[in-house]
Amino acid sequence: MLTANQLKGLRVLVIDGSREMRTMLRETLSEAQIKNIIVAPHASSAVEAIRAEPFNLILSDYDLGSGTDGQQLLEFLRQERLMPPGGLFFIISADSTINRVASAAEMLPDGYLVKPLTSEQLLSRIEEALERHVELRPMYEAVHAGRFAEGLAHCEALERAGSRFRVELMRHISKCQSGLGRWDDALQTYRRALKVRSSMTWASLGVARCCLVMGDIAVARQRLHTILQERPYHAGAYDLLIELCERTGDVNSALKIATRAAEHIPSLLRTRRLAEIAYLAGELETADTALTKVVKQTAKSITRNSRNSALLAQVCLALGDPQRAMHLIAKEVSDWPSDPRTQALAAAIDVQAWTALGRPAEAETAGRRVAASLDIDAEPRIRLLIAKAALSMGMTEQGLKVLDEAVAAAEQVSSAEGASTRALACKVFVDAGMPERAGELIVDRFAQAEQDAETAVRTLRGGGFDEAIAMVNATLPKARDHTGVLTAAVEVYLMTMRVKGVRPELLAKVQTLLTRLRVRGTADPQKLDMMDSYLRKLETTTAVRVAEPLAVTS
């Protein structure tokens, strides 16, 4: 239980349009010895208070009147990094229907409380979350800042000390391991969590992500489908399945999944994602309907983003309506006259619209605005629209540079952002009449690496031992987590040593790779047993020559 001093030190924000509810929540918190309580009637006043000084705990009603709801507020706070490390956000609602709960859960709040709410229920949920926050705060701070090695050290120390928040620690241990690229370790942590409680979907989802990163696409897809059969409202499973489809160039399947997700989880995030994928798939009417809804519902919200109107304008251009496209982006410029990103988006749309209208002079003028925006500091999707405009104006070299930078920046954010940005970049190439570049971009690097590894094995079996080793050495850094690539590398190294003699550096590589394959448990067990057997023989001799082939790869 938290001490009175700890409770007194909390800074709490209550957001609710009802004066009576604000008063009740304030009085309940005061009874728990919490003294530093600020109240706000709507999202905009709440954001002003949060910008002035961060809060440890935010209690927000879901329905905040016109404009921004509680879910959109949480989305905005996370996007703007206004939530402190370990800061708690609870959504309170009078609606307990599955659609509302699923929609609210989209942003993973710390709790969803249903009215009518007793003081005991409220304080019990808050105290449990706050106790976790107090004990784990150093870990939260490290992970929040992206210091994953430090965060992992905190987690392991707390685990050794017997912290009662064991599941929360495992969740963050796997997050840190993933952040450090230690996918084998992350996979084992997720499996360890599932042994504690097999129903923990976050751990099952983590196994699927590890398999996807390791190139085990079929295993990842099957696990994700299983999750969605059991939990058809799980946003994370939909997102990862969409990422899988985008990475493999299957936009039509991605659209089916996004449509299903939007049906089960009626949030603006789902609608926005559906619109983007529909645009990629050429389903322009679907994209138009979805984006129109997003733009309308965020018009008075703090989550309003000019990028939504710009993408809708791009859809209008594809539908042959340049006038509507220009009207949409002009409204954004009017409302955000001093925002350079909005100005850049407007230039990108205007170039294409004036060109479609057969007005070359106006298009050239807009093109100069695009040229001035090439180096703008903006998110990847905005950069893609600038690249598209530059390519349409014949500024090929500049457009390609911006596009490459956008893809590279997105891949630094996350694998999901990288996959979706890469898919959008392919659309830019196709629209610019450069389908061959789109083909190069959409090639799944894991599939390509696996093909290269298989080529190395064939080269080996043809007697090109040194050439095969050079090939796998070049392929491994491109897909160091891919099970198939690791298995092929082990085969090449083992067979080379069987025929040409043991080489200590290759022996060490085989030992490391086999250990990794054993730990992760994603390779064929029979193949692993056979390779282990050959390894043991090699470890006991310095020059073994055997004529028969090593039949490891099917």
Side-chain angles (χ1 to χ4, degrees), residues 120-440:
E120 291 75 15
Q121 289 173 327
L122 175 64
L123 293 176
S124 174
R125 292 288 299 278
I126 290 175
E127 182 155 333
E128 179 184 353
L130 287 173
E131 285 180 351
R132 184 180 71 244
H133 166 76
V134 169
E135 182 174 322
L136 306 184
R137 181 167 185 169
M139 179 271 288
Y140 283 134
E141 290 177 345
V143 175
H144 182 78
R147 301 192 305 270
F148 295 118
E150 180 184 336
L152 183 58
H154 280 302
C155 287
E156 292 172 342
L158 287 163
E159 210 175 25
R160 287 193 300 271
S163 171
R164 65 190 181 92
F165 300 111
R166 183 185 178 192
V167 170
E168 180 75 355
L169 286 174
M170 284 192 288
R171 191 165 71 88
H172 280 79
I173 286 172
S174 58
K175 183 175 182 178
C176 291
Q177 289 166 335
S178 300
L180 293 168
R182 292 169 50 180
W183 294 101
D184 291 344
D185 293 336
L187 180 60
Q188 294 310 303
T189 302
Y190 287 126
R191 287 175 173 162
R192 181 160 62 95
L194 289 170
K195 288 180 180 179
V196 173
R197 190 161 65 245
S198 62
S199 61
M200 289 191 290
T201 309
W202 64 266
S204 190
L205 188 66
V207 171
R209 173 163 290 286
C210 288
C211 289
L212 178 59
V213 169
M214 294 171 180
D216 298 315
I217 304 297
V219 177
R221 182 184 285 111
Q222 180 57 51
R223 182 171 284 269
L224 290 169
H225 281 302
T226 300
I227 292 173
L228 289 172
Q229 285 173 0
E230 297 172 352
R231 298 177 180 272
Y233 299 91
H234 198 287
Y238 284 118
D239 286 337
L240 192 55
L241 196 52
I242 289 171
E243 178 186 341
L244 185 154
C245 293
E246 287 181 325
R247 284 174 62 161
T248 55
D250 190 356
V251 178
N252 289 327
S253 292
L255 178 59
K256 291 178 183 178
I257 297 161
T259 302
R260 181 180 164 197
E263 291 171 352
H264 283 296
I265 310 169
S267 70
L268 286 179
L269 283 176
R270 295 294 107 206
T271 306
R272 185 185 303 142
R273 193 75 177 100
L274 170 61
E276 190 173 78
I277 297 172
Y279 170 65
L280 287 174
E283 296 291 336
L284 299 178
E285 295 295 342
T286 299
D288 187 355
T289 300
L291 279 168
T292 299
K293 178 180 179 180
V294 171
V295 170
K296 181 178 180 180
Q297 292 193 10
T298 59
K300 297 180 180 180
S301 169
I302 58 175
T303 58
R304 177 179 173 182
N305 191 322
S306 298
R307 192 187 77 197
N308 294 327
S309 291
L311 181 55
L312 178 55
Q314 193 68 61
V315 171
C316 293
L317 289 169
L319 287 167
D321 192 351
Q323 295 283 7
R324 183 184 172 207
M326 295 178 73
H327 173 75
L328 282 164
I329 204 64
K331 177 70 167 61
E332 296 297 320
V333 171
S334 174
D335 291 346
W336 307 98
S338 59
D339 179 29
R341 295 176 181 82
T342 302
Q343 300 294 331
L345 287 170
I349 295 301
D350 288 347
V351 162
Q352 299 172 75
W354 287 122
T355 299
L357 290 167
R359 304 277 289 274
E362 287 87 346
E364 185 177 348
T365 299
R368 287 194 289 270
R369 291 159 50 206
V370 169
S373 302
L374 292 174
D375 295 325
I376 189 172
D377 180 19
E379 61 186 279
R381 283 170 171 74
I382 292 178
R383 302 275 287 162
L384 284 183
L385 283 174
I386 295 171
K388 182 178 177 69
L391 291 172
S392 72
M393 288 294 294
M395 295 186 286
T396 305
E397 183 179 347
Q398 299 96 318
L400 292 177
K401 180 175 180 292
V402 172
L403 189 148
D404 289 341
E405 290 172 348
V407 172
E411 290 179 338
Q412 290 296 314
V413 174
S414 68
S415 60
E417 183 72 11
S420 60
T421 302
R422 189 176 287 268
L424 284 167
C426 288
K427 173 70 171 170
V428 172
F429 276 133
V430 171
D431 290 347
M434 305 168 70
E436 70 287 348
R437 291 295 299 267
E440 295 171 7

Side-chain angles (χ1 to χ4, degrees), residues 524-541:
D524 184 333
Q526 290 184 333
K527 291 181 180 180
L528 286 179
D529 288 342
M530 187 180 295
M531 291 189 289
D532 271 333
S533 175
Y534 282 115
L535 174 61
R536 286 193 296 271
K537 291 178 182 178
L538 290 172
E539 288 173 332
T540 60
T541 185

Side-chain angles (χ1 to χ4, degrees), residues 13-19 22 38-46 61 63-65 68:
L13 175 64
V14 174
I15 315 164
D16 200 295
S18 165
R19 182 188 296 272
R22 293 197 301 270
I38 306 296
V39 296
H42 44 66
S44 57
S45 57
D61 190 22
D63 297 301
L64 297 175
T68 307

